[in-house]
Amino acid sequence: MSGEQELGSVPVALTVNGRQYSLTVEPWRSLVDVLRGELGLVGTKTGCELGVCGTCTVLVGGDPIRACVMLACQADGMVIETVESLAAEGALGALQEAFRNSHAVQCGFCTPGFLMLATALLRSEPAPSRQRIREYLSANLCRCTGYAGIIDAVEAAAKPS
Ligand code: FES
Ligand code: FES
């Protein structure tokens, strides 16, 4: 699009995974839609699009947010982290390695959301108990794994207390 603002669209500035973007988007578009559709960051998935399943979880200002129920324009000026940020230069991050080693991934659809939710947990609580991991991750849904592998992975990635 040229520098002229489209009728009904709003300018939005986002910092995503350390990179700055200036966009013009319709005010009704969700953050996940813009991340995927405009920025090409398709690691973040959409499931329910109702704020229930958590598969669209990204970090906004360091907090886990369901990007399907946040408008892109609400994120104006915010720092956003998506699952792509976990794999520096294409190499899996420690938490991703733990998911792989613990067989925490089956279809993988929920995985980006769980990874970002767990990232937020381990930043604020580097050595959570297994019960705490279970409680925190209960915000997100997985239809395949039975959760045990996911809990194992986050426990493995946590620092010993
Ligand atoms: S797709 Fe966002 S919570 Fe389900
Ligand atoms: S691995 Fe399939 S939904 Fe979680």
Side-chain angles (χ1 to χ4, degrees), residues 45-56 66-69:
K45 303 294 184 244
T46 53
C48 65
E49 297 190 72
L50 293 169
V52 175
C53 72
T55 195
C56 63
R66 289 160 196 250
C68 70
V69 289

Side-chain angles (χ1 to χ4, degrees), residues 63-64 114 117-140 150-152 154-155 158-159 161:
D63 294 324
F114 272 104
L117 189 61
T119 295
L121 172 63
L122 295 178
R123 277 186 191 164
S124 61
E125 300 175 43
S129 67
R130 188 171 179 87
Q131 181 59 26
R132 175 61 177 149
I133 294 168
R134 190 185 296 277
E135 286 169 2
Y136 197 90
L137 297 191
S138 69
N140 282 19
I150 297 173
I151 307 296
D152 289 346
V154 178
E155 195 171 36
K159 290 191 171 54
S161 52

